[in-house]
Amino acid sequence: MAITIDELISERTKLKKDFDEMKQNITKVEFDLGAMKSNLNALNGAIQFASNLIQLAENKEAVKKKVTKK
């Protein structure tokens, strides 16, 4: 049994379709990864901001206690 040109063309068409789908999936994953990195950076900034506010509040409380003791 020999392989025909039509069978080879059909197989190539299937492979090209699979290739294109995989390429599209990779592009989507790269886009999603960029969005997730942006969200991660935003969350890190929010954590830093909250930490700074906590530190300011703690310093303010320490100053109040010193003033009250005197």
Short mmCIF file of all heavy atoms in Angstrom, two decimals:
data_model
loop_
_atom_site.label_atom_id
_atom_site.label_comp_id
_atom_site.label_asym_id
_atom_site.label_seq_id
_atom_site.Cartn_x
_atom_site.Cartn_y
_atom_site.Cartn_z
N MET A 1 0.85 -1.18 0.00
CA MET A 1 0.00 0.00 0.00
C MET A 1 0.89 1.24 0.00
O MET A 1 1.76 1.40 0.84
CB MET A 1 -0.91 -0.02 1.23
CG MET A 1 -1.80 1.15 1.32
SD MET A 1 -2.92 0.92 2.69
CE MET A 1 -3.88 2.34 2.49
N ALA A 2 0.66 2.10 -0.90
CA ALA A 2 1.45 3.32 -1.06
C ALA A 2 0.69 4.51 -0.48
O ALA A 2 -0.54 4.52 -0.40
CB ALA A 2 1.75 3.56 -2.53
N ILE A 3 1.45 5.49 -0.08
CA ILE A 3 0.87 6.73 0.43
C ILE A 3 0.63 7.64 -0.76
O ILE A 3 1.52 7.84 -1.59
CB ILE A 3 1.81 7.41 1.44
CG1 ILE A 3 2.02 6.48 2.64
CG2 ILE A 3 1.25 8.74 1.88
CD1 ILE A 3 3.03 7.00 3.62
N THR A 4 -0.55 8.21 -0.80
CA THR A 4 -0.88 9.09 -1.93
C THR A 4 -0.55 10.55 -1.59
O THR A 4 -0.41 10.92 -0.43
CB THR A 4 -2.37 8.98 -2.29
OG1 THR A 4 -3.13 9.49 -1.20
CG2 THR A 4 -2.77 7.54 -2.58
N ILE A 5 -0.47 11.33 -2.63
CA ILE A 5 -0.23 12.77 -2.48
C ILE A 5 -1.38 13.41 -1.69
O ILE A 5 -1.16 14.26 -0.83
CB ILE A 5 -0.07 13.46 -3.86
CG1 ILE A 5 1.15 12.93 -4.59
CG2 ILE A 5 -0.02 14.98 -3.72
CD1 ILE A 5 2.46 13.31 -3.96
N ASP A 6 -2.58 12.97 -1.95
CA ASP A 6 -3.75 13.52 -1.24
C ASP A 6 -3.65 13.25 0.26
O ASP A 6 -4.01 14.10 1.09
CB ASP A 6 -5.04 12.93 -1.80
CG ASP A 6 -5.36 13.45 -3.20
OD1 ASP A 6 -4.86 14.56 -3.54
OD2 ASP A 6 -6.10 12.77 -3.92
N GLU A 7 -3.19 12.07 0.66
CA GLU A 7 -3.02 11.75 2.07
C GLU A 7 -1.95 12.63 2.71
O GLU A 7 -2.11 13.10 3.84
CB GLU A 7 -2.64 10.27 2.24
CG GLU A 7 -3.77 9.31 1.91
CD GLU A 7 -3.34 7.86 1.91
OE1 GLU A 7 -2.17 7.56 1.58
OE2 GLU A 7 -4.18 7.02 2.25
N LEU A 8 -0.88 12.86 1.97
CA LEU A 8 0.19 13.73 2.49
C LEU A 8 -0.30 15.16 2.64
O LEU A 8 -0.01 15.83 3.64
CB LEU A 8 1.41 13.68 1.57
CG LEU A 8 2.17 12.35 1.56
CD1 LEU A 8 3.23 12.36 0.46
CD2 LEU A 8 2.78 12.06 2.90
N ILE A 9 -1.05 15.63 1.68
CA ILE A 9 -1.60 16.99 1.74
C ILE A 9 -2.57 17.10 2.91
O ILE A 9 -2.55 18.09 3.67
CB ILE A 9 -2.28 17.38 0.41
CG1 ILE A 9 -1.22 17.54 -0.69
CG2 ILE A 9 -3.11 18.65 0.56
CD1 ILE A 9 -1.79 17.69 -2.08
N SER A 10 -3.40 16.09 3.10
CA SER A 10 -4.34 16.09 4.21
C SER A 10 -3.60 16.11 5.55
O SER A 10 -3.97 16.85 6.46
CB SER A 10 -5.23 14.85 4.12
OG SER A 10 -6.06 14.75 5.24
N GLU A 11 -2.55 15.30 5.66
CA GLU A 11 -1.76 15.27 6.90
C GLU A 11 -1.08 16.62 7.15
O GLU A 11 -1.04 17.11 8.27
CB GLU A 11 -0.73 14.15 6.82
CG GLU A 11 0.04 13.93 8.10
CD GLU A 11 -0.83 13.49 9.27
OE1 GLU A 11 -1.91 12.90 9.06
OE2 GLU A 11 -0.44 13.77 10.42
N ARG A 12 -0.54 17.22 6.11
CA ARG A 12 0.09 18.53 6.25
C ARG A 12 -0.92 19.57 6.69
O ARG A 12 -0.63 20.43 7.54
CB ARG A 12 0.75 18.96 4.93
CG ARG A 12 1.46 20.31 5.06
CD ARG A 12 2.08 20.76 3.78
NE ARG A 12 1.03 21.07 2.81
CZ ARG A 12 1.26 21.49 1.59
NH1 ARG A 12 2.49 21.63 1.14
NH2 ARG A 12 0.26 21.74 0.77
N THR A 13 -2.13 19.51 6.15
CA THR A 13 -3.19 20.45 6.53
C THR A 13 -3.52 20.31 8.02
O THR A 13 -3.66 21.30 8.74
CB THR A 13 -4.45 20.21 5.68
OG1 THR A 13 -4.10 20.35 4.31
CG2 THR A 13 -5.54 21.19 6.03
N LYS A 14 -3.61 19.07 8.51
CA LYS A 14 -3.89 18.83 9.93
C LYS A 14 -2.74 19.38 10.80
O LYS A 14 -2.98 20.02 11.83
CB LYS A 14 -4.05 17.34 10.21
CG LYS A 14 -5.31 16.74 9.65
CD LYS A 14 -5.33 15.24 9.93
CE LYS A 14 -6.38 14.52 9.12
NZ LYS A 14 -6.27 13.05 9.29
N LEU A 15 -1.52 19.13 10.37
CA LEU A 15 -0.36 19.60 11.13
C LEU A 15 -0.31 21.13 11.16
O LEU A 15 -0.02 21.72 12.20
CB LEU A 15 0.94 19.05 10.53
CG LEU A 15 1.16 17.54 10.71
CD1 LEU A 15 2.34 17.09 9.87
CD2 LEU A 15 1.35 17.19 12.17
N LYS A 16 -0.62 21.76 10.02
CA LYS A 16 -0.63 23.22 9.97
C LYS A 16 -1.71 23.78 10.89
O LYS A 16 -1.48 24.76 11.60
CB LYS A 16 -0.85 23.71 8.54
CG LYS A 16 -0.97 25.21 8.42
CD LYS A 16 -0.20 25.74 7.27
CE LYS A 16 -0.34 27.23 7.08
NZ LYS A 16 -0.24 28.06 8.23
N LYS A 17 -2.87 23.14 10.93
CA LYS A 17 -3.95 23.57 11.81
C LYS A 17 -3.51 23.46 13.27
O LYS A 17 -3.71 24.39 14.07
CB LYS A 17 -5.20 22.72 11.57
CG LYS A 17 -6.37 23.11 12.43
CD LYS A 17 -7.56 22.18 12.18
CE LYS A 17 -8.64 22.51 13.19
NZ LYS A 17 -9.32 21.33 13.66
N ASP A 18 -2.89 22.33 13.63
CA ASP A 18 -2.39 22.15 14.99
C ASP A 18 -1.33 23.19 15.34
O ASP A 18 -1.31 23.74 16.44
CB ASP A 18 -1.81 20.75 15.17
CG ASP A 18 -2.87 19.66 15.18
OD1 ASP A 18 -4.07 20.00 15.32
OD2 ASP A 18 -2.50 18.48 15.02
N PHE A 19 -0.45 23.46 14.38
CA PHE A 19 0.60 24.46 14.58
C PHE A 19 0.00 25.83 14.84
O PHE A 19 0.39 26.53 15.78
CB PHE A 19 1.52 24.51 13.35
CG PHE A 19 2.56 25.58 13.41
CD1 PHE A 19 3.76 25.35 14.05
CD2 PHE A 19 2.35 26.82 12.82
CE1 PHE A 19 4.74 26.34 14.11
CE2 PHE A 19 3.31 27.80 12.87
CZ PHE A 19 4.51 27.56 13.52
N ASP A 20 -0.97 26.22 14.02
CA ASP A 20 -1.61 27.53 14.18
C ASP A 20 -2.34 27.65 15.51
O ASP A 20 -2.29 28.70 16.16
CB ASP A 20 -2.56 27.80 13.01
CG ASP A 20 -1.83 27.99 11.68
OD1 ASP A 20 -0.62 28.29 11.70
OD2 ASP A 20 -2.48 27.83 10.62
N GLU A 21 -3.01 26.58 15.93
CA GLU A 21 -3.71 26.59 17.22
C GLU A 21 -2.71 26.73 18.37
O GLU A 21 -2.95 27.49 19.31
CB GLU A 21 -4.53 25.31 17.39
CG GLU A 21 -5.79 25.26 16.56
CD GLU A 21 -6.53 23.93 16.70
OE1 GLU A 21 -6.14 23.09 17.53
OE2 GLU A 21 -7.50 23.74 15.95
N MET A 22 -1.61 26.00 18.29
CA MET A 22 -0.60 26.07 19.34
C MET A 22 0.02 27.47 19.40
O MET A 22 0.22 28.02 20.48
CB MET A 22 0.49 25.02 19.09
CG MET A 22 1.51 24.95 20.20
SD MET A 22 0.84 24.44 21.80
CE MET A 22 0.34 22.77 21.43
N LYS A 23 0.28 28.05 18.25
CA LYS A 23 0.84 29.40 18.19
C LYS A 23 -0.13 30.40 18.81
O LYS A 23 0.28 31.29 19.58
CB LYS A 23 1.16 29.77 16.74
CG LYS A 23 1.90 31.05 16.58
CD LYS A 23 2.29 31.27 15.13
CE LYS A 23 3.06 32.55 14.99
NZ LYS A 23 3.45 32.82 13.60
N GLN A 24 -1.40 30.24 18.51
CA GLN A 24 -2.42 31.14 19.07
C GLN A 24 -2.50 30.97 20.59
O GLN A 24 -2.61 31.96 21.32
CB GLN A 24 -3.77 30.84 18.43
CG GLN A 24 -4.88 31.79 18.85
CD GLN A 24 -6.19 31.48 18.14
OE1 GLN A 24 -6.34 30.45 17.49
NE2 GLN A 24 -7.15 32.38 18.27
N ASN A 25 -2.43 29.74 21.07
CA ASN A 25 -2.46 29.49 22.52
C ASN A 25 -1.25 30.10 23.21
O ASN A 25 -1.37 30.66 24.30
CB ASN A 25 -2.51 27.98 22.80
CG ASN A 25 -3.86 27.37 22.47
OD1 ASN A 25 -4.86 28.07 22.35
ND2 ASN A 25 -3.88 26.07 22.28
N ILE A 26 -0.09 30.00 22.59
CA ILE A 26 1.13 30.58 23.17
C ILE A 26 0.99 32.10 23.26
O ILE A 26 1.34 32.70 24.27
CB ILE A 26 2.37 30.16 22.36
CG1 ILE A 26 2.65 28.68 22.59
CG2 ILE A 26 3.58 31.01 22.73
CD1 ILE A 26 3.71 28.10 21.67
N THR A 27 0.46 32.71 22.22
CA THR A 27 0.26 34.16 22.21
C THR A 27 -0.68 34.57 23.33
O THR A 27 -0.44 35.55 24.04
CB THR A 27 -0.29 34.61 20.84
OG1 THR A 27 0.64 34.23 19.82
CG2 THR A 27 -0.49 36.11 20.80
N LYS A 28 -1.76 33.80 23.53
CA LYS A 28 -2.71 34.10 24.59
C LYS A 28 -2.05 33.97 25.96
O LYS A 28 -2.23 34.82 26.84
CB LYS A 28 -3.93 33.19 24.50
CG LYS A 28 -5.00 33.49 25.53
CD LYS A 28 -6.15 32.51 25.44
CE LYS A 28 -7.25 32.78 26.43
NZ LYS A 28 -6.86 33.06 27.78
N VAL A 29 -1.27 32.91 26.14
CA VAL A 29 -0.59 32.70 27.42
C VAL A 29 0.40 33.84 27.70
O VAL A 29 0.49 34.33 28.83
CB VAL A 29 0.11 31.33 27.46
CG1 VAL A 29 1.06 31.22 28.63
CG2 VAL A 29 -0.92 30.21 27.49
N GLU A 30 1.13 34.27 26.67
CA GLU A 30 2.07 35.39 26.85
C GLU A 30 1.33 36.66 27.25
O GLU A 30 1.80 37.40 28.12
CB GLU A 30 2.87 35.61 25.57
CG GLU A 30 3.91 34.54 25.31
CD GLU A 30 4.60 34.67 23.97
OE1 GLU A 30 4.07 35.37 23.07
OE2 GLU A 30 5.67 34.07 23.81
N PHE A 31 0.18 36.91 26.62
CA PHE A 31 -0.62 38.09 26.96
C PHE A 31 -1.11 38.00 28.40
O PHE A 31 -1.01 38.96 29.17
CB PHE A 31 -1.81 38.22 26.00
CG PHE A 31 -2.72 39.36 26.32
CD1 PHE A 31 -2.38 40.65 25.94
CD2 PHE A 31 -3.90 39.15 27.01
CE1 PHE A 31 -3.22 41.72 26.24
CE2 PHE A 31 -4.73 40.21 27.32
CZ PHE A 31 -4.40 41.49 26.93
N ASP A 32 -1.64 36.82 28.77
CA ASP A 32 -2.12 36.62 30.13
C ASP A 32 -1.00 36.76 31.15
O ASP A 32 -1.20 37.30 32.24
CB ASP A 32 -2.79 35.25 30.27
CG ASP A 32 -4.11 35.14 29.52
OD1 ASP A 32 -4.65 36.19 29.13
OD2 ASP A 32 -4.58 34.01 29.32
N LEU A 33 0.18 36.26 30.80
CA LEU A 33 1.33 36.38 31.70
C LEU A 33 1.69 37.84 31.94
O LEU A 33 1.96 38.25 33.07
CB LEU A 33 2.54 35.62 31.13
CG LEU A 33 3.82 35.67 31.95
CD1 LEU A 33 3.62 35.04 33.31
CD2 LEU A 33 4.94 34.98 31.20
N GLY A 34 1.65 38.65 30.88
CA GLY A 34 1.92 40.07 31.03
C GLY A 34 0.91 40.74 31.95
O GLY A 34 1.26 41.56 32.80
N ALA A 35 -0.36 40.37 31.80
CA ALA A 35 -1.40 40.93 32.65
C ALA A 35 -1.20 40.51 34.11
O ALA A 35 -1.36 41.32 35.03
CB ALA A 35 -2.78 40.50 32.16
N MET A 36 -0.83 39.24 34.31
CA MET A 36 -0.61 38.76 35.68
C MET A 36 0.59 39.45 36.32
O MET A 36 0.56 39.79 37.51
CB MET A 36 -0.40 37.24 35.68
CG MET A 36 -1.68 36.46 35.45
SD MET A 36 -1.51 34.68 35.67
CE MET A 36 -0.67 34.21 34.19
N LYS A 37 1.64 39.70 35.53
CA LYS A 37 2.81 40.42 36.08
C LYS A 37 2.43 41.84 36.46
O LYS A 37 2.89 42.36 37.48
CB LYS A 37 3.96 40.42 35.06
CG LYS A 37 4.66 39.09 34.97
CD LYS A 37 5.82 39.15 33.99
CE LYS A 37 6.57 37.83 33.94
NZ LYS A 37 7.72 37.88 33.02
N SER A 38 1.60 42.48 35.64
CA SER A 38 1.14 43.83 35.96
C SER A 38 0.33 43.83 37.26
O SER A 38 0.50 44.71 38.11
CB SER A 38 0.28 44.39 34.83
OG SER A 38 1.07 44.55 33.66
N ASN A 39 -0.55 42.85 37.41
CA ASN A 39 -1.34 42.75 38.65
C ASN A 39 -0.44 42.49 39.85
O ASN A 39 -0.67 43.04 40.93
CB ASN A 39 -2.38 41.63 38.52
CG ASN A 39 -3.50 41.99 37.56
OD1 ASN A 39 -3.73 43.15 37.27
ND2 ASN A 39 -4.18 40.99 37.06
N LEU A 40 0.57 41.66 39.66
CA LEU A 40 1.52 41.37 40.74
C LEU A 40 2.24 42.64 41.18
O LEU A 40 2.37 42.91 42.38
CB LEU A 40 2.52 40.31 40.29
CG LEU A 40 3.53 39.82 41.31
CD1 LEU A 40 2.83 39.09 42.44
CD2 LEU A 40 4.55 38.92 40.65
N ASN A 41 2.67 43.44 40.21
CA ASN A 41 3.34 44.70 40.54
C ASN A 41 2.39 45.66 41.26
O ASN A 41 2.80 46.36 42.20
CB ASN A 41 3.90 45.34 39.27
CG ASN A 41 5.10 44.60 38.74
OD1 ASN A 41 5.83 43.95 39.48
ND2 ASN A 41 5.32 44.69 37.43
N ALA A 42 1.15 45.70 40.82
CA ALA A 42 0.17 46.57 41.48
C ALA A 42 -0.07 46.13 42.92
O ALA A 42 -0.14 46.98 43.83
CB ALA A 42 -1.15 46.56 40.70
N LEU A 43 -0.17 44.84 43.13
CA LEU A 43 -0.36 44.33 44.50
C LEU A 43 0.86 44.63 45.36
O LEU A 43 0.72 45.01 46.53
CB LEU A 43 -0.61 42.83 44.48
CG LEU A 43 -1.99 42.40 43.96
CD1 LEU A 43 -2.03 40.90 43.73
CD2 LEU A 43 -3.07 42.83 44.93
N ASN A 44 2.04 44.51 44.80
CA ASN A 44 3.25 44.82 45.55
C ASN A 44 3.27 46.29 45.95
O ASN A 44 3.63 46.64 47.08
CB ASN A 44 4.50 44.47 44.74
CG ASN A 44 5.76 44.58 45.55
OD1 ASN A 44 5.82 44.13 46.68
ND2 ASN A 44 6.78 45.18 44.97
N GLY A 45 2.86 47.17 45.05
CA GLY A 45 2.78 48.59 45.38
C GLY A 45 1.78 48.86 46.48
O GLY A 45 2.03 49.67 47.38
N ALA A 46 0.65 48.17 46.44
CA ALA A 46 -0.37 48.34 47.49
C ALA A 46 0.16 47.85 48.84
O ALA A 46 -0.10 48.47 49.87
CB ALA A 46 -1.64 47.58 47.10
N ILE A 47 0.90 46.75 48.82
CA ILE A 47 1.48 46.23 50.07
C ILE A 47 2.48 47.23 50.64
O ILE A 47 2.49 47.51 51.85
CB ILE A 47 2.16 44.86 49.82
CG1 ILE A 47 1.10 43.80 49.55
CG2 ILE A 47 3.03 44.45 51.01
CD1 ILE A 47 1.67 42.49 49.01
N GLN A 48 3.32 47.79 49.78
CA GLN A 48 4.30 48.79 50.23
C GLN A 48 3.60 50.01 50.81
O GLN A 48 4.01 50.56 51.85
CB GLN A 48 5.21 49.21 49.08
CG GLN A 48 6.20 48.14 48.69
CD GLN A 48 7.05 48.56 47.49
OE1 GLN A 48 6.83 49.61 46.89
NE2 GLN A 48 8.01 47.73 47.14
N PHE A 49 2.53 50.46 50.15
CA PHE A 49 1.78 51.62 50.62
C PHE A 49 1.17 51.34 52.00
O PHE A 49 1.26 52.16 52.91
CB PHE A 49 0.69 51.98 49.60
CG PHE A 49 -0.11 53.19 49.97
CD1 PHE A 49 0.46 54.46 49.91
CD2 PHE A 49 -1.42 53.08 50.38
CE1 PHE A 49 -0.27 55.58 50.25
CE2 PHE A 49 -2.16 54.19 50.72
CZ PHE A 49 -1.58 55.45 50.65
N ALA A 50 0.56 50.16 52.14
CA ALA A 50 -0.04 49.79 53.43
C ALA A 50 1.03 49.70 54.51
O ALA A 50 0.82 50.14 55.65
CB ALA A 50 -0.78 48.47 53.30
N SER A 51 2.19 49.16 54.17
CA SER A 51 3.28 49.05 55.14
C SER A 51 3.74 50.43 55.59
O SER A 51 4.00 50.65 56.79
CB SER A 51 4.46 48.28 54.54
OG SER A 51 4.09 46.95 54.27
N ASN A 52 3.83 51.36 54.66
CA ASN A 52 4.22 52.74 55.00
C ASN A 52 3.19 53.39 55.91
O ASN A 52 3.55 54.08 56.88
CB ASN A 52 4.41 53.58 53.74
CG ASN A 52 5.67 53.22 52.99
OD1 ASN A 52 6.59 52.62 53.54
ND2 ASN A 52 5.72 53.57 51.72
N LEU A 53 1.91 53.18 55.64
CA LEU A 53 0.86 53.75 56.49
C LEU A 53 0.92 53.15 57.89
O LEU A 53 0.76 53.87 58.89
CB LEU A 53 -0.52 53.51 55.88
CG LEU A 53 -0.84 54.31 54.62
CD1 LEU A 53 -2.21 53.91 54.08
CD2 LEU A 53 -0.78 55.80 54.88
N ILE A 54 1.16 51.85 57.99
CA ILE A 54 1.28 51.20 59.30
C ILE A 54 2.46 51.78 60.07
O ILE A 54 2.35 52.09 61.26
CB ILE A 54 1.41 49.67 59.12
CG1 ILE A 54 0.10 49.08 58.63
CG2 ILE A 54 1.85 49.00 60.43
CD1 ILE A 54 0.20 47.64 58.15
N GLN A 55 3.57 51.96 59.37
CA GLN A 55 4.77 52.51 60.03
C GLN A 55 4.51 53.94 60.51
O GLN A 55 4.89 54.30 61.63
CB GLN A 55 5.95 52.48 59.07
CG GLN A 55 7.26 52.89 59.71
CD GLN A 55 8.42 52.78 58.74
OE1 GLN A 55 8.24 52.59 57.55
NE2 GLN A 55 9.63 52.92 59.26
N LEU A 56 3.84 54.74 59.69
CA LEU A 56 3.50 56.10 60.11
C LEU A 56 2.59 56.09 61.33
O LEU A 56 2.79 56.87 62.27
CB LEU A 56 2.82 56.86 58.97
CG LEU A 56 3.71 57.31 57.82
CD1 LEU A 56 2.85 57.84 56.67
CD2 LEU A 56 4.70 58.35 58.28
N ALA A 57 1.60 55.21 61.33
CA ALA A 57 0.67 55.13 62.46
C ALA A 57 1.40 54.67 63.72
O ALA A 57 1.15 55.21 64.81
CB ALA A 57 -0.47 54.18 62.13
N GLU A 58 2.30 53.72 63.60
CA GLU A 58 3.06 53.25 64.76
C GLU A 58 3.95 54.35 65.31
O GLU A 58 4.06 54.52 66.53
CB GLU A 58 3.89 52.02 64.39
CG GLU A 58 3.05 50.76 64.20
CD GLU A 58 3.85 49.58 63.68
OE1 GLU A 58 4.99 49.77 63.19
OE2 GLU A 58 3.34 48.45 63.76
N ASN A 59 4.59 55.09 64.42
CA ASN A 59 5.44 56.20 64.86
C ASN A 59 4.62 57.28 65.57
O ASN A 59 5.05 57.85 66.56
CB ASN A 59 6.21 56.80 63.68
CG ASN A 59 7.29 55.88 63.17
OD1 ASN A 59 7.72 54.95 63.86
ND2 ASN A 59 7.73 56.11 61.94
N LYS A 60 3.44 57.55 65.05
CA LYS A 60 2.57 58.55 65.65
C LYS A 60 2.14 58.10 67.05
O LYS A 60 2.11 58.90 67.99
CB LYS A 60 1.34 58.76 64.76
CG LYS A 60 0.61 60.04 64.98
CD LYS A 60 -0.45 60.23 63.91
CE LYS A 60 -0.92 61.64 63.90
NZ LYS A 60 -1.90 61.90 62.86
N GLU A 61 1.82 56.82 67.20
CA GLU A 61 1.43 56.29 68.51
C GLU A 61 2.61 56.38 69.49
O GLU A 61 2.42 56.71 70.66
CB GLU A 61 0.98 54.83 68.38
CG GLU A 61 -0.37 54.66 67.73
CD GLU A 61 -1.48 55.29 68.53
OE1 GLU A 61 -1.49 55.14 69.77
OE2 GLU A 61 -2.36 55.93 67.92
N ALA A 62 3.81 56.10 69.01
CA ALA A 62 5.00 56.18 69.90
C ALA A 62 5.21 57.59 70.36
O ALA A 62 5.53 57.85 71.53
CB ALA A 62 6.22 55.65 69.15
N VAL A 63 5.03 58.57 69.49
CA VAL A 63 5.20 59.99 69.85
C VAL A 63 4.13 60.38 70.87
O VAL A 63 4.40 61.07 71.84
CB VAL A 63 5.14 60.88 68.59
CG1 VAL A 63 5.04 62.34 68.95
CG2 VAL A 63 6.37 60.64 67.71
N LYS A 64 2.88 59.93 70.65
CA LYS A 64 1.80 60.24 71.60
C LYS A 64 2.11 59.71 72.99
O LYS A 64 1.88 60.37 73.99
CB LYS A 64 0.48 59.65 71.11
CG LYS A 64 -0.25 60.48 70.12
CD LYS A 64 -1.61 59.83 69.82
CE LYS A 64 -2.40 60.64 68.84
NZ LYS A 64 -3.70 60.03 68.52
N LYS A 65 2.63 58.50 73.05
CA LYS A 65 2.95 57.89 74.35
C LYS A 65 4.05 58.65 75.05
O LYS A 65 4.00 58.86 76.26
CB LYS A 65 3.37 56.43 74.15
CG LYS A 65 2.20 55.51 73.84
CD LYS A 65 2.65 54.08 73.67
CE LYS A 65 1.47 53.20 73.29
NZ LYS A 65 1.87 51.82 73.05
N LYS A 66 5.05 59.11 74.31
CA LYS A 66 6.14 59.89 74.90
C LYS A 66 5.63 61.23 75.44
O LYS A 66 6.01 61.65 76.52
CB LYS A 66 7.26 60.12 73.89
CG LYS A 66 8.12 58.91 73.65
CD LYS A 66 9.24 59.24 72.67
CE LYS A 66 10.07 57.99 72.39
NZ LYS A 66 11.13 58.26 71.40
N VAL A 67 4.77 61.87 74.67
CA VAL A 67 4.23 63.17 75.08
C VAL A 67 3.33 62.98 76.30
O VAL A 67 3.36 63.79 77.24
CB VAL A 67 3.46 63.82 73.91
CG1 VAL A 67 2.68 65.05 74.37
CG2 VAL A 67 4.42 64.21 72.80
N THR A 68 2.54 61.93 76.35
CA THR A 68 1.62 61.69 77.45
C THR A 68 2.40 61.39 78.74
O THR A 68 1.99 61.82 79.82
CB THR A 68 0.69 60.48 77.12
OG1 THR A 68 0.05 60.74 75.89
CG2 THR A 68 -0.34 60.29 78.18
N LYS A 69 3.52 60.67 78.64
CA LYS A 69 4.32 60.35 79.83
C LYS A 69 4.95 61.58 80.46
O LYS A 69 5.12 61.64 81.64
CB LYS A 69 5.41 59.34 79.46
CG LYS A 69 4.90 57.94 79.23
CD LYS A 69 6.03 56.99 78.95
CE LYS A 69 5.49 55.59 78.69
NZ LYS A 69 6.56 54.64 78.38
N LYS A 70 5.28 62.55 79.67
CA LYS A 70 5.93 63.77 80.19
C LYS A 70 4.88 64.62 80.80
O LYS A 70 4.68 65.15 81.72
CB LYS A 70 6.61 64.53 79.07
CG LYS A 70 7.83 63.81 78.56
CD LYS A 70 8.49 64.63 77.49
CE LYS A 70 9.72 63.89 76.96
NZ LYS A 70 10.41 64.60 75.94
#
